[in-house]
Amino acid sequence: MTSTQIFSVLDAFGYHTIRLLISVAWQSSLLIAAVALIVFMLRRQSAAVRHVFWAVLLCSLPVIPLLVWTTSILKTPKAEITIIPAYTAPSMRQPDGFVIEPSISTGAETDKNGSTGTFPFKPGDYPWALGLAIYALGAVFFLVWMAIGRLCIWRWKRTGVVLTDRRVIDTFLTARERLGIRRGFTVIENPEVPAPLTAGTFHPVVLVPAGFTDGLTDEELSALAVHELTHVKRNDALVFSVVSVVRALFFFHPLVWLATDQVVVLAEHACDEAVLDSVSEPFVYIEMLVGLASNRSRRRFVTEMAAGFVISKHAFLRRVEVMLSDKGKRIRSLSRGFLAGTVIVAVLSVMVTCALPIGEKKQAGKQAAQVCGFMNEPDDTITEFIGGKAQEIDPHELGGVVYDESGKPLEGALVDAWTWYTHDGHEVYTDAQGKFRLKNLSRDNRVEVRFSKEGYSPELIIMQKTGVSNIIVRLGNKTYFEGRVLAPDGRPVPDALIRASQGPKRAHGVVITSIWTETRSGRDGRYRLYVEADTYDIQVRVPGTGGARLQGEVIDRNKSKNLDITLAKGVTFRAQVVNSRSGKPVEGLRLYNWQKKDIEGISDKNGALEIMDMLPGPFEFNVEGKGYARWWSEEASKEWERKMISSRTGWQRNFDDLEFDLQLNMKPVTIFVEDAVTITGRVLDPDGRPVAGATVAPAHTGSGNSITGDTRYSVPTNDDGTFEMILPASGDTEYNLVAHDGKYTEWRTWANGIKEPIKTQPGQVIRDVTISLTQPATVTGTVVDEDGKPLAHHEVRASATDKLENRYYDPTTRTDDKGNFTLKYIRPGSQFIQAAPFWLSAEEAPYGSTVTLYLSAGTVKDGVQLVGNVKKK
């Protein structure tokens, strides 16, 4: 996993963990309030009875996160927060024009350190990960505090002296028999013990200061024995340990601290009540407590650390005060009916607090796996099939039927795979029988697919397995937002576009930042937006009128939610576009967003650009300008969108999108653009004939990768083999050109050809470059797993050891059913032959997954064996 992936997953995990903690905080607050009310009602009952409620409450608090994790981990109350990853990588443009917006790297390739080295970042870009770290530090601090206290007790037991004085032993044995305790116990004295205390549950130990029992009268010693052994009978040591852990996990919650204090105080009061019931002269015991209180300044911190709670002088005196005011009026027992009633109230409180609709449980569990990344490949596959069993078809196809909730087939429902693409080609509409079939899903065997139809709530499947022909999808029409869109003066706004995003979602190797559902308001400003159960960021922008953004809007399945949207004055975004070399204004630079067609700005002859009525908050612009290949702004939100040159490689990226934090009355930003390098030339075959339909792409010399981490600067050759490409300048680094015989993922006849590395400067023009394709070599062999079993349909590729090629055009194939492969179109020379997973630094790949061969033009190398699916150890 790359560094970016780790931080992104930690940030997503931190986001949901903190949301869970917030949810648990208010739920536990309700429970604590309920228990406090019950205890108040039982104020005339014994401390032992009241203690039970507080102890049960605190011991059950850790169960709440387990209950709500699968039911409400993503149930966000309406709040002005943005549900987006803290880090979103620049857009990646693939060869045929579509865009992927990952926040976790889309490629499986890593370098020897497990990093793609593509996008710079800093940990401060991950606020939720930072919040998770702060919480973890706090919890660990209090857990360590508890552990140190337990170590103190362990040391006191090891270094202490077991009391054998018959007076002491007989007194404790008498108390044990009176209390009905069967467990054995030990009394140990140690000069380091500041005050009597009891430790241990199965093998309890009473710790007393050295010589403490010598100064006690028989009555005082009897009272001490009853008090400490009552702790043993009640298992207070175990309860205190559990409550200490709970307090550490909920250290941020003041009410939990209050509840733990009640557990300790009431436990002491309960033991005091047991003493009062057993001694004939209570004032003897009370005087002993007063004496202990007067000595509380001695080693107080050590005692509190060992006990796990604050034990103040006031606490001792409060115990004395309670015993003096009791005067036998405390009710020592509780009627079964009243006890049953209070228990029922407590159980109902827990159920009401933790209960959530079933539909949201499914959505929460699904999104937790997808966004937090607990599984490498969350299985979100539809499991309902015609006939009850999945029928397999071509592994690159997907078929089934779409029904409404009544079981009627839905004609004209859109089935769209990879919805974040900007081009058509992976969508179909259902026929009159509601049937559909998606074909040519060659990207991988997991696709994101969305089912939708006007007037119905869409259904999104993040990880649908391909190769299934009879899946069933049901679209309902009972889940929707509705209301009116109103202008700032209260007038209805007709024809307003209402857009709701339910992103981000983690799909196969990519995080989809936004998945939009849209509708428009009618003449009276009313709208109805059909959605599926999820959390939404709802946006409305009406140029000339205003805009609105409602974030964290939660809706449950088969529920409607009234939501009037009042527009407010929008942000006017202004920019000044300047040439980075000359400092002159630049005309014609276009800022836009491919998902929001109504947002666009083009700089005028003075370099000025203005876009009105935008929504406050982060906004990412796609950038386009003829003759320019880099752009940056020091006011951009992300560090890598400001001018940044890698200290490791010397390469300046700065050709991705630009994001700004839009605010009312914000000052104009300055955008610098850099002149592009223009390269023209032609591609020839080994016999010197022009090659039409070939691809020319740049390679970052020495990396085996492209200059961008994608294929955006790849260009096709014309019918006469000529090409023209626009590139960012290399500056102090080097790049070279690679010619490939075919389109991306296509191999025709010849192996790749390369040009020598060059350095370029902004605005440079290089003409009449000739790149010759080469006679290919071929390698055959077998891929097995670590146990020696053949791996079917496993990827194999060749990667040149000189690292002058672009990995997107490396020869690649798959094994057959028996694990055999034939890898063609390999450029002559030294090559790494690799079995997936692929490593950019092939020298660091796991042993057995890569072999190095020197291949001559036109030769065939047989019998190569590779080991696949080997992870770096």
Side-chain angles (χ1 to χ4, degrees):
M1 181 177 280
T2 68
S3 300
T4 299
Q5 287 176 320
I6 292 172
F7 274 102
S8 296
V9 169
L10 283 176
D11 199 58
F13 180 75
Y15 170 70
H16 292 295
T17 300
I18 292 173
R19 288 181 64 179
L20 175 65
L21 291 173
I22 294 173
S23 175
V24 171
W26 69 260
Q27 289 174 329
S28 60
S29 298
L30 292 178
L31 291 176
I32 292 172
V35 170
L37 178 61
I38 293 173
V39 171
F40 176 76
M41 294 168 59
L42 302 177
R43 60 189 180 277
R44 299 307 305 163
Q45 304 298 324
S46 68
V49 171
R50 289 174 287 144
H51 175 270
V52 168
F53 287 93
W54 286 115
V56 170
L57 167 69
L58 285 177
C59 291
S60 63
L61 279 187
V63 179
I64 296 179
L66 299 179
L67 294 176
V68 302
W69 185 269
T70 56
T71 59
S72 63
I73 187 173
L74 295 179
K75 185 175 177 63
T76 311
K78 180 178 178 180
E80 290 300 317
I81 57 174
T82 304
I83 308 177
I84 60 175
Y87 170 78
T88 303
S91 299
M92 288 187 169
R93 289 168 176 79
Q94 297 295 324
D96 45 1
F98 55 78
V99 177
I100 301 176
E101 289 195 341
S103 63
I104 297 178
S105 174
T106 59
E109 305 207 30
T110 58
D111 63 18
K112 64 182 179 180
N113 296 317
S115 172
T116 60
T118 304
F119 307 120
F121 64 90
K122 56 185 179 181
D125 293 328
Y126 301 89
W128 297 109
L130 179 61
L132 177 63
I134 294 173
Y135 167 75
L137 286 174
V140 168
F141 171 80
F142 287 102
L143 288 172
V144 169
W145 185 25
M146 171 187 169
I148 293 174
R150 296 306 182 268
L151 286 174
C152 286
I153 292 176
W154 176 81
R155 184 169 56 85
W156 291 343
K157 291 192 294 185
R158 289 291 301 271
T159 61
V161 177
V162 176
L163 280 177
T164 57
D165 183 272
R166 291 310 309 172
R167 185 177 77 103
V168 175
I169 298 303
D170 290 343
T171 302
F172 272 85
L173 288 175
T174 300
R176 185 181 74 164
E177 183 177 351
R178 182 185 302 169
L179 294 171
I181 300 173
R182 295 184 178 181
R183 280 170 286 174
F185 65 91
T186 305
V187 182
I188 296 177
E189 65 175 7
N190 192 310
E192 296 184 12
V193 176
L197 59 92
T198 302
T201 300
F202 302 105
H203 303 286
V205 174
V206 178
L207 292 164
V208 296
F212 181 79
T213 56
D214 295 340
L216 298 180
T217 65
D218 290 345
E219 289 185 344
E220 290 174 335
L221 183 60
S222 177
L224 172 67
V226 171
H227 181 95
E228 298 303 331
L229 291 182
T230 301
H231 279 305
V232 173
K233 181 179 181 180
R234 292 165 40 82
N235 296 309
D236 281 335
L238 177 62
V239 173
F240 287 177
S241 296
V242 174
V243 170
S244 294
V245 173
V246 173
R247 185 189 62 179
L249 298 177
F250 291 84
F251 70 91
F252 57 89
H253 198 327
L255 292 183
V256 172
W257 285 76
L258 180 63
T260 55
D261 182 64
Q262 287 298 306
V263 169
V264 177
V265 169
L266 290 175
E268 295 298 331
H269 289 336
C271 294
D272 290 341
E273 289 173 352
V275 173
L276 295 179
D277 289 339
S278 65
V279 299
S280 58
E281 185 53 60
F283 286 101
V284 173
Y285 178 62
I286 292 174
E287 288 176 357
M288 185 178 70
L289 287 183
V290 173
L292 285 172
S294 64
N295 295 324
R296 280 303 299 134
S297 60
R298 179 171 172 265
R299 303 179 67 89
R300 171 181 169 182
F301 177 76
V302 176
T303 309
E304 292 170 355
M305 181 182 294
F309 302 94
V310 175
I311 305 175
S312 64
K313 179 177 181 179
H314 173 75
F316 276 89
L317 297 179
R318 176 59 183 162
R319 289 167 58 186
V320 172
E321 181 182 348
V322 169
M323 284 187 289
L324 290 175
S325 63
D326 187 6
K327 298 179 182 180
K329 295 181 180 179
R330 188 74 63 186
I331 300 175
R332 303 300 191 201
S333 61
L334 190 64
S335 68
R336 292 183 178 181
F338 196 80
L339 180 60
T342 54
V343 169
I344 291 173
V345 171
V347 171
L348 289 176
S349 298
V350 173
M351 294 177 62
V352 170
T353 303
C354 297
L356 278 176
I358 297 299
E360 190 151 305
K361 292 181 182 179
K362 176 183 177 181
Q363 188 66 27
K366 181 169 72 174
Q367 293 192 17
Q370 294 162 0
V371 180
C372 289
F374 297 125
M375 296 183 290
N376 290 329
E377 293 187 357
D379 191 354
D380 194 23
T381 301
I382 293 177
T383 56
E384 186 176 10
F385 306 102
I386 300 172
K389 185 178 180 180
Q391 297 177 6
E392 296 184 358
I393 53 173
D394 184 289
H396 302 307
E397 295 186 3
L398 186 67
V401 183
V402 179
Y403 296 102
D404 63 15
E405 288 191 332
S406 67
K408 179 182 177 182
L410 275 181
E411 181 179 5
L414 174 64
V415 184
D416 190 2
W418 300 314
T419 57
W420 66 94
Y421 288 4
T422 58
H423 79 311
D424 297 331
H426 292 100
E427 62 279 330
V428 295
Y429 289 90
T430 55
D431 61 18
Q433 287 76 43
K435 296 180 180 180
F436 70 91
R437 174 164 284 190
L438 282 169
K439 299 181 179 181
N440 301 319
L441 302 175
S442 58
R443 179 177 169 87
D444 49 52
N445 64 347
R446 304 270 185 162
V447 297
E448 177 258 343
V449 59
R450 194 166 190 255
F451 303 85
S452 61
K453 181 177 173 63
E454 186 176 356
Y456 293 87
S457 299
E459 181 75 21
L460 173 68
I461 308 299
I462 292 294
M463 289 273 197
Q464 175 60 51
K465 292 181 180 178
T466 58
V468 180
S469 67
N470 62 333
I471 66 174
I472 297 176
V473 180
R474 290 182 169 85
L475 300 184
N477 58 0
K478 299 177 181 177
T479 309
Y480 53 84
F481 295 102
E482 66 176 352
R484 296 184 301 165
V485 179
L486 304 174
D489 60 3
R491 292 181 295 104
V493 179
D495 200 37
L497 179 64
I498 299 98
R499 312 181 78 233
S501 173
Q502 60 188 115
K505 306 289 183 186
R506 182 181 177 184
H508 186 60
V510 65
V511 169
I512 311 169
T513 57
S514 299
I515 300 173
W516 296 97
T517 303
E518 301 178 349
T519 191
R520 287 188 176 273
S521 61
R523 293 182 179 180
D524 58 355
R526 299 200 66 84
Y527 74 92
R528 176 174 288 184
L529 179 65
Y530 288 95
V531 295
E532 63 177 321
D534 210 330
T535 302
Y536 289 89
D537 176 3
I538 301 176
Q539 302 179 18
V540 183
R541 175 178 177 266
V542 181
T545 302
R549 185 174 189 176
L550 306 177
Q551 298 171 275
E553 290 292 345
V554 179
I555 192 166
D556 298 331
R557 186 175 180 83
N558 292 330
K559 299 290 185 180
S560 61
K561 189 170 185 179
N562 188 73
L563 201 64
D564 287 342
I565 303 172
T566 301
L567 306 183
K569 179 183 178 182
V571 174
T572 299
F573 174 78
R574 296 183 178 89
Q576 182 67 35
V577 185
V578 177
N579 187 291
S580 63
R581 291 197 300 163
S582 66
K584 295 181 179 180
V586 172
E587 181 179 5
L589 188 79
R590 178 180 177 233
L591 299 186
Y592 67 102
N593 184 285
W594 68 275
Q595 288 187 319
K596 300 179 180 181
K597 307 300 184 183
D598 58 331
I599 294 180
E600 181 183 64
I602 301 176
S603 60
D604 60 21
K605 63 181 180 179
N606 297 316
L609 180 150
E610 181 178 281
I611 306 176
M612 299 179 64
D613 292 317
M614 298 197 68
L615 301 178
F619 189 87
E620 189 171 74
F621 289 102
N622 306 126
V623 186
E624 184 178 85
K626 186 176 182 180
Y628 300 100
R630 277 197 183 95
W631 36 79
W632 61 88
S633 175
E634 296 306 317
E635 291 89 4
S637 302
K638 299 171 181 175
E639 183 179 1
W640 57 89
E641 294 172 358
R642 306 161 201 156
K643 186 173 183 179
M644 173 174 271
I645 300 176
S646 171
S647 59
R648 180 172 61 89
T649 64
W651 176 247
Q652 181 183 354
R653 189 171 177 89
N654 289 136
F655 37 67
D656 299 300
D657 302 328
L658 291 176
E659 181 181 281
F660 297 95
D661 187 11
L662 306 185
Q663 303 293 337
L664 291 173
N665 303 317
M666 66 183 294
K667 296 180 180 179
V669 302
T670 301
I671 299 175
F672 295 94
V673 296
E674 182 184 270
D675 296 308
V677 174
T678 302
I679 302 179
T680 63
R682 60 178 181 164
V683 175
L684 304 177
D685 67 15
D687 298 322
R689 294 186 295 266
V691 180
T695 299
V696 181
H700 193 180
T701 302
S703 71
N705 201 359
S706 68
I707 63 174
T708 59
D710 53 54
T711 61
R712 75 182 70 179
Y713 288 118
S714 301
V715 297
T717 59
N718 301 315
D719 291 342
D720 59 356
T722 60
F723 68 88
E724 178 179 355
M725 63 194 317
I726 304 297
L727 297 177
S730 66
D732 293 331
T733 60
E734 291 182 328
Y735 52 53
N736 58 276
L737 301 185
V738 178
H740 171 71
D741 188 19
K743 299 178 182 179
Y744 174 61
T745 70
E746 175 190 29
W747 289 267
R748 298 188 300 189
T749 305
W750 309 111
N752 294 343
I754 61 171
K755 290 296 291 183
E756 64 280 358
I758 58 174
K759 290 183 178 181
T760 59
Q761 299 301 319
Q764 186 175 353
V765 178
I766 302 174
R767 303 187 186 279
D768 301 326
V769 173
T770 299
I771 312 176
S772 295
L773 299 172
T774 56
Q775 289 279 354
T778 301
V779 173
T780 68
T782 306
V783 179
V784 298
D785 62 18
E786 293 183 280
D787 297 324
K789 297 180 180 178
L791 285 175
H793 311 297
H794 197 81
E795 276 196 307
V796 180
R797 80 168 182 186
S799 179
T801 62
D802 58 18
K803 298 185 179 180
L804 296 178
E805 293 195 43
N806 180 326
R807 67 184 174 96
Y808 290 95
Y809 303 98
D810 284 340
T812 306
T813 189
R814 286 184 181 271
T815 59
D816 60 19
D817 292 339
K818 297 181 179 180
N820 300 319
F821 69 87
T822 299
L823 183 59
K824 303 178 180 180
Y825 315 111
I826 305 173
R827 178 167 65 90
S830 181
Q831 295 276 345
F832 295 117
I833 310 300
Q834 301 176 284
F838 301 137
W839 287 67
L840 279 178
S841 297
E843 301 92 338
E844 302 293 332
Y847 178 77
S849 66
T850 300
V851 299
T852 305
L853 300 175
Y854 185 87
L855 304 170
S856 300
T859 61
V860 178
K861 175 67 175 178
D862 297 319
V864 174
Q865 180 166 307
L866 302 173
V867 181
N869 289 339
V870 184
K871 296 181 179 180
K872 186 69 174 178
K873 294 181 174 66

